[in-house]
Amino acid sequence: MSSHFSWRVRQWLLRHPRIRQVFIPVKACWLNLAEGWWRLLRRAAFAGQTFADATEITHAVAVATAQLNAHAQPWIWGRPPPQPRTLRRKFVYLL
């Protein structure tokens, strides 16, 4: 933490007013939606692959991004509500 508040860091931040330090609470990195996107991209583009050069990596990222964008859905926080139970408190006896 001292590196965040050191004199050199504060001087650098004063020279670069467009950049602000934003502190994320401990164990709250999941709040950053970019982390989830990187996980999806790694799984779609890089899982089980070996690349010979940077052009193959660029191509794999472009293809994976196009595939992810084709099936994109809005991000919903939390779990969806449970489905209502149709047979709740209904007893069925079969003979």
Side-chain angles (χ1 to χ4, degrees):
M1 288 296 280
S2 64
S3 64
H4 296 116
F5 299 108
S6 70
W7 182 81
R8 292 180 68 197
V9 170
R10 285 187 279 148
Q11 293 300 316
W12 188 89
L13 288 170
L14 287 174
R15 288 192 310 269
H16 299 87
R18 290 179 48 207
I19 298 176
R20 300 185 304 138
Q21 280 186 327
V22 178
F23 298 101
I24 298 174
V26 176
K27 298 182 181 177
C29 62
W30 59 270
L31 292 172
N32 186 358
L33 292 178
E35 295 293 332
W37 186 85
W38 278 109
R39 180 178 52 85
L40 293 174
L41 181 69
R42 279 194 309 265
R43 186 183 304 161
F46 303 136
Q49 301 289 329
T50 55
F51 301 105
D53 57 2
T55 57
E56 289 184 3
I57 296 172
T58 304
H59 178 69
V61 169
V63 169
T65 303
Q67 290 174 350
L68 289 172
N69 285 338
H71 302 291
Q73 295 179 359
W75 184 266
I76 299 173
W77 284 99
R79 295 181 183 170
Q83 295 292 327
R85 294 173 24 192
T86 56
L87 296 177
R88 187 175 183 190
R89 294 191 182 104
K90 181 178 180 182
F91 297 101
V92 178
Y93 295 99
L94 297 175
L95 298 174

